[in-house]
Amino acid sequence: MYDLIIIGSGPAGLSAAVYAKRAGLNMLIIEKNPVSGGQIIDTYEVDNYLGIPGVNGFDLAMKFREHADKLGAEFADATVTSVVCEDEGSAEKLPVYKVITDNGEFETHTIILATGAHHSKLGIPGEEEYIGKGVSYCATCDGAFYKGKITAVNGGGDVAVEDAIFLSRFSEKVYLIHRRDELRATKILQDELFEIPNIEVIWDSVVKEIKGEDKVTTLSIENVKTKENSDLAVDGIFVAIGIHPSTDLFADIVKCDEQGYVIAGEDGATSAPGIFVAGDSRKKRLRQIVTAVADGANAVTSVQDFMVGKSKN
Ligand code: NAP
């Protein structure tokens, strides 16, 4: 029986692990991906994490993991398939949850959900068919395959602009296709983007279909203002249209908003007693490494508060 099971090993989960070990909690962190770090392992450069400007996302993830290891955090490689409440507990008694995975079942009094978020898909013809054959969701993972090629990025947020900048170092030409006439991305990134000669922004446009033979060759694009359709020859498309919380498994046990984010305040307390949330899967204003790390710390503090005053039976 654990005091705490943390589900997810991104910045929020790893921060929670560090705080939990320092608090002397008997804890387990369950990670689905064999490499800890969550979304940041795909990030080429993180320039806004205090004190480490320009750090590579993978390197930062490894530092987070080393920190948790140094304190003796226990990890399990497993995919959670469900969470079952075995005992709701009471004012004096802690609840008991069973966390069921593809690699065993674990019992715990409290849980921190730190499952983060995953890439949204376009849902257009050709997208699924050409994944790995020209359709990618990770420029830092796959960008180097497009040396001297023509690539497109779809989206207008920080990730899309970062991806376009990154790809411009390999690709002969990068198209950034955005559905509006202004970007959502931070101004500093936009300024950098507009300076790069081999990036062309295609405004007010959506990708309607991804076509090819063995690999992607063409994007069918529609200008949403003029309704004109055109074909764009590319070797690859990087989809960067935002993220979706990875919370489907927990929708029955904790309250989520209409987009699937778990509803909780800064203390991470969800609608279920003893279940807390931290990181990108929490409903909140700013999803960054720094806020995920802060969430992890706050959630562990809430776990401690929750456990104090209830005797373990
Ligand atoms: P995002 O900020 O939500 O941007 C998603 C972009 O995709 C928007 O421009 C949106 O268009 C567009 N889009 C959404 N659905 C679309 C569709 N079906 N078809 C075409 N375009 C679509 O997501 P993100 O860029 O993945 O970033 C996620 C979070 O991580 C953000 O909070 C971001 O600030 C943060 N982040 C920060 C950094 C950093 O600080 N270094 C780096 C990466 C990410 P509209 O603009 O028209 O809505």
Side-chain angles (χ1 to χ4, degrees), residues 39 43 45-49 119-124 154-162 177-186 189 205-207 239-243 261 280 285-289:
Q39 294 168 70
T43 304
E45 190 176 293
V46 176
D47 205 25
N48 56 3
Y49 193 69
H119 302 291
S120 298
K121 292 192 172 176
L122 286 163
I124 55 170
N154 194 191
D158 285 339
V159 170
V161 171
E162 281 185 350
I177 303 165
H178 182 42
R179 64 184 178 183
R180 290 190 293 133
D181 60 4
E182 60 177 345
L183 297 169
R184 180 179 293 278
T186 322
L189 283 173
S205 296
V206 291
V207 181
V239 180
I241 59 163
I243 55 170
Y261 291 102
D280 279 11
R285 185 159 171 246
L286 185 64
R287 292 189 177 82
Q288 302 272 289
I289 302 167

Side-chain angles (χ1 to χ4, degrees), residues 19 36-37 41 60 74 79 105 121 132 146 176 215 220 223 227 233 239 241 251 276:
Y19 273 75
S36 305
I41 61 172
L60 185 59
E74 183 184 347
T79 299
E105 298 180 355
K121 292 192 172 176
Y146 293 88
L176 179 66
K215 290 182 188 161
S220 299
N223 182 303
K227 298 291 167 204
V239 180
I241 59 163
F276 301 84

